[in-house]
Amino acid sequence: MSKTIMIVDDSASVRQVVTIALKGAGYDVVDACDGKDALTKLDGRKIHLIISDVNMPNMDGITFVKQVKAHPSYKFTPVIMLTTESATDKKQRGQEAGAKAWIVKPFQPQQMLGAVSKLVLP
Amino acid sequence: MSETESHPALALEGELNIYGAAENKLRILEFLSRAKEAPALDLSGVTEVDTAGLQLLILAQREAESMGTSLRLLDPSASVLDVLQLCNLTTRFDVSGALECNP
Amino acid sequence: MNLDNAQQTFIEESRELLAAMEDALLTLETTPSDADAINAVFRAMHTIKGAAGLFGLDHIVGFTHVAESLMDRVRDGEIAVDDTLIALLLGCRDHISSMMDAVDAGEESTSEDMLTTGMGLVASLEVYLGHPSEDGDATESPSAPSGSHTPAPTTDATGVENVTWHVSVRFDQELLRNGFDPLSFVRYLGTLGDLVHVEVIADAMPSGEEMDAEACYLGFEMRLAGDLTKGDIEDAFEFVQSDCTLRILPPNSQLGAYLDLIQDLPEDTVRLGEILVACGTLTERELEEGLRIQAGGAGASEEMSDDQPIQPLGEILVEREVVQQELVDAALDKQRRTRDAKTREARVIRVDAAKLDELINLVGELVIAGSAAETLARRSRNRTLVEANTTIGGLVESIRDSALRLRMVEIGETFNRFRRVVRDVSQELGKDIDLVITGAETELDKSVVEKIGDPLMHLVRNAMDHGLESTERRIKAGKPAKGTLRLNAYHESGSIVIEIADDGGGLDRARILAKAQERGLVQPGQSLNDHEIDNLIFEPGFSTAEQVTNLSGRGVGMDVVRRNIDALRGIISLDSNPGQGTRVTIRLPLTLAIIDGFLVGVGEGAYIIPLDCVVECMKCDPAETRCQDYINLRGQVLPFLRLRDLFGIEGSPPRRQNIVVIQYAGQRVGLVVDHLLGEFQTVIKPLGRLLDHLRGLFGGSTILGGGEVAMILDVQELIRIAVQRDAGAHAETAASNQTDLV
């Protein structure tokens, strides 16, 4: 049974690359374009890992992670945040919100796959 | 819970992970305190095991030993065997019903 | 955007890494212990290996893996850098580069040649790597070898034997609640190599009620086989770096290192000893011996404790220091690597070249619009408006310069590529050649730099092949045995000048002249000066088969070099001194985008002459110019061209015309124009296909402030036309003209 990963990013191209890369590696992928969309798409389904952008319309990544960490069914789900640079302040807030793993954008698909496979193998 | 007089067994089902760990720990401890002889955990219905789940299995075995008995793992599912094999624990547990999967 | 794009990025990045690797290797030739250089080579292999994996380029992964392992050992100081190793690694670099080219070209399979090269290189690498001798315990297979859960090891079977790491890890209790699952790290390690043995350490877990089901109590002692690096293993735990205690012992560590590990770990010694034996890391015998040495060592030092009271473990401590040093080095190195990467990221932003071009194009439009506004302002005679416009004009100029500077790159990088070429070719030729690079910081437009590489390569090879003599001949001629090749660059009046000079034998003029006559490039009896003879080698058709060697040959003659330079609006010339050497000088415009122009009117049209080329302007004396094509300019013959005639403009010229004297590469020609309209800064727009027939006279077009199009004159071409015409007439009446003039 392959593991399911959720990618949350407002950039369609990022979602696309991440999805192609993850599916290629054998994961199932659910994608969402912002925090709000992601929360509705969680919908009780099993998610093994969440990859989320920080800056998004409607609901940003930090708020989204806080919601995830407050949700009884998802509070222990690992979250990798995508950040454009080492914005320490944001990183700190993200850490407090519960995201412990970070990938700096722009990233190579294999970097992302490497990070993902440390947390969840397909 | 499916237990009989002679072969008390606690069935753990679904995900044996951190989400249900606290509850499962209580169930296991409560079960062991009642099952005096040859307690067993029925793991045939377990779909997923993580570190928290593995800790519970180790805890259960340790508790059983401290009570002077030994714990059996009944018919562990593929996910359970996978973790036991990864951690080289298949021989540490008394595993029955899964010999064909365990070379 | 899809993975093809990503692969393209990968190829580009790899090329950059390979270039850095080459530089580093050449640095190592002079300073074999340069840690930064060693790291650069390692990083190149490590990163390319990692990235190649994603794109399924297994052959690249396999190859870089061997090189990476070697560099890992070099980093650890186990293997010393020497010339043979550098040569081997340069070979590896080239091989990866060719594999990359094949990937770029979309080739599905690897060619026979490449396979053979690769296998040869791997064999040489393995000689360096050696094979650690087999221990008795390693051949006894552990009772529970890694089962079906382990994904296939990425390394090939040959590399795995007995290269076994010991990984010891304890986690922070909060780990599970933070969403991490230690088992996933263990599984991940299983994808890096072969997990020979995993031992779960649950000693820290309290019993019964006290145990917190959501806390993490487990630790792991693992034996991991595979040709990996310490960095690979550390990377697996990158996200929990601060939430775990990780200890990694490299393969074949000293016994003391294991004892040290036992001491460091929280569990009790006997239990840990058992664990290490269970892992197969140590044998019973080794453990006993270790503990005995430890006890004995302690006892021994007590006896002679006076001078060394803090050294209870004697020899073991020394061994331990070695190991700790390794670990410290690895940690420092990792820190430095991340820091390096971060500062590099901060310093450099990647920008699509097309975006830059667009910006420069827009700035060009801005410059033009600015000129128009300034003209209008001046016409309005409103002083404040003129002042405001002057300020804007100044700013626009600064923006133009900054925008152009964005595209300026130092020529040093291009020059440095030749260090390798010179090194390889001199070895091949058996000549001892020193490359001296000066002016590496001289900047020029990226678009120019991209096109200058090939001609330079040809000239450098030519100088080594034909210019510099063999060592014996040099000694015989009383010259230093080592030949010198110089690459130099500097700015001169809006151009960049690049020189390729050798201290070789110079050109053989008699042979060149003979060959030129044989090829019909020179008429018999035609007299040429030395400079003219030397420059014959740039004539089309001069290059001959007998001249072609495997080095400078490839069927490309110097005429192609000149054509390339011409295409860049540049000029190439050659000076040679018999017995002393040859110098080729290339003069190129700094940028192909913007020029300061001199606006002239001919008929109804406006034309632009690049300001750099304008020497002076003068009134045209109809009496002197009526029936001849040259004037006497302060005692010198100055041929001139009537632009009206050249462009076929009908009608009669105004009574008073002007002559603009232009100069390029030492040659002067006058242009007869109707009006002088002044200086004008302008952006070169390429000629469209419609105007293709005009190519030759014009180097491009531009739009004037008022909206009309002005053509930019191709000075080089105009000079060529004038000189050629002049040479025809000159040859016939050379003598009489001279007397006429004076």
Side-chain angles (χ1 to χ4, degrees), chain C residues 444-453 568 588-592:
Chain C
L444 76 168
D445 197 293
K446 188 166 166 52
S447 57
V448 181
V449 132
E450 278 163 0
K451 294 178 180 123
I452 192 70
L568 293 170
L588 292 166
L590 280 182
T591 170
L592 302 176

Side-chain angles (χ1 to χ4, degrees), chain A residues 13 16-17 20-21 69 75-78 98 100-102 104 108-110 113-115 117-121, chain C residues 1 3 6 9-10 13 50-51 54-55 176-180 184-185 187-188 191 214 235-236 238-239 345:
Chain A
S13 61
Q16 205 178 326
V17 173
I20 292 171
K69 291 292 161 185
K75 60 179 173 180
F76 299 122
T77 306
K100 305 290 179 184
W102 293 76
V104 177
Q108 293 284 294
Q110 85 277 0
L113 279 179
S117 56
K118 284 166 199 169
L119 301 178
V120 177
L121 279 175
Chain C
M1 196 168 160
L3 283 188
T9 316
F10 161 63
E13 278 186 353
L54 175 72
F55 300 103
L176 302 181
R177 275 191 276 259
N178 286 341
F180 296 110
S184 69
F185 303 129
R187 285 202 175 89
Y188 179 77
T191 65
E214 289 174 5
D235 274 358
E238 65 166 324
F239 294 131
E345 270 165 30

Side-chain angles (χ1 to χ4, degrees), chain C residues 551-708:
Chain C
L551 290 177
S552 56
R554 301 189 172 180
V556 180
M558 294 288 259
D559 58 322
V560 176
V561 173
R562 185 167 77 175
R563 258 209 315 274
N564 286 336
I565 302 296
D566 284 352
L568 293 170
R569 296 196 284 135
I571 192 143
I572 186 167
S573 67
L574 182 146
D575 293 293
S576 178
N577 271 328
Q580 287 174 21
T582 306
R583 185 177 66 213
V584 177
T585 307
I586 298 172
R587 192 176 288 270
L588 292 166
L590 280 182
T591 170
L592 302 176
I594 294 186
I595 53 168
D596 281 317
F598 189 74
L599 196 62
V600 297
V602 182
E604 296 292 301
Y607 300 87
I608 286 165
I609 305 167
L611 195 60
D612 293 340
C613 310
V614 176
V615 182
E616 60 181 310
C617 302
M618 64 188 75
K619 293 271 177 280
C620 179
D621 178 3
E624 192 186 6
T625 57
R626 191 176 302 130
C627 50
Q628 58 185 29
D629 290 332
Y630 52 87
I631 56 165
N632 176 357
L633 180 63
R634 293 184 288 275
Q636 296 277 314
V637 181
L638 181 78
F640 63 79
L641 293 170
R642 290 182 179 86
L643 292 188
R644 273 186 166 266
D645 295 353
L646 198 63
F647 302 157
I649 294 167
E650 314 253 303
S652 52
R655 210 168 50 82
R656 301 198 66 84
Q657 283 187 292
N658 292 280
I659 293 183
V660 179
V661 182
I662 58 172
Q663 171 178 323
Y664 197 74
Q667 282 174 309
R668 288 180 176 206
V669 166
L671 299 176
V672 180
V673 303
D674 293 355
H675 310 286
L676 302 177
L677 300 172
E679 291 178 21
F680 187 81
Q681 192 179 66
T682 192
V683 184
I684 301 179
K685 292 195 174 291
L687 291 170
R689 259 224 318 262
L690 274 179
L691 300 174
D692 218 29
H693 61 285
L694 292 177
R695 204 155 296 193
L697 290 180
F698 304 112
S701 66
T702 191
I703 297 162
L704 300 179
E708 63 270 35

Side-chain angles (χ1 to χ4, degrees), chain C residues 414-429:
Chain C
T414 309
F415 277 180
N416 279 335
R417 274 168 42 196
F418 294 106
R419 289 165 68 195
R420 173 73 189 280
V421 175
V422 170
R423 178 190 176 279
D424 288 358
V425 172
S426 54
Q427 272 179 7
E428 204 169 318
L429 291 171

Side-chain angles (χ1 to χ4, degrees), chain A residues 29-92:
Chain A
V29 184
V30 178
D31 72 335
C33 60
D34 59 51
K36 235 174 206 162
D37 186 31
L39 284 178
T40 57
K41 280 180 176 160
L42 281 176
D43 192 33
R45 87 173 87 187
K46 178 73 188 172
I47 301 285
H48 293 86
L49 173 75
I50 295 168
I51 303 174
S52 174
D53 192 17
V54 175
N55 289 313
M56 290 179 295
N58 293 324
M59 186 190 287
D60 71 15
I62 309 265
T63 318
F64 168 60
V65 172
K66 276 188 187 154
Q67 302 253 19
V68 167
K69 291 292 161 185
H71 193 295
S73 308
Y74 298 103
K75 60 179 173 180
F76 299 122
T77 306
V79 179
I80 297 179
M81 297 241 84
L82 304 175
T83 167
T84 32
E85 56 218 272
S86 45
T88 357
D89 172 49
K90 282 221 173 95
K91 202 160 172 172
Q92 178 110 29

Side-chain angles (χ1 to χ4, degrees), chain C residues 512 515-517 519-522 526 528 531-544 547 556-563 566 572 574 720 724:
Chain C
I512 291 171
K515 195 168 284 172
Q517 279 167 346
R519 315 228 151 238
L521 299 171
V522 176
Q526 189 178 342
L528 296 171
H531 185 73
E532 285 167 329
I533 296 173
D534 289 348
N535 284 282
L536 280 174
I537 65 165
F538 293 119
E539 289 302 313
F542 180 82
S543 212
T544 63
Q547 199 188 17
V556 180
M558 294 288 259
D559 58 322
V560 176
V561 173
R562 185 167 77 175
R563 258 209 315 274
D566 284 352
I572 186 167
L574 182 146
R720 201 188 56 78
Q724 234 170 34

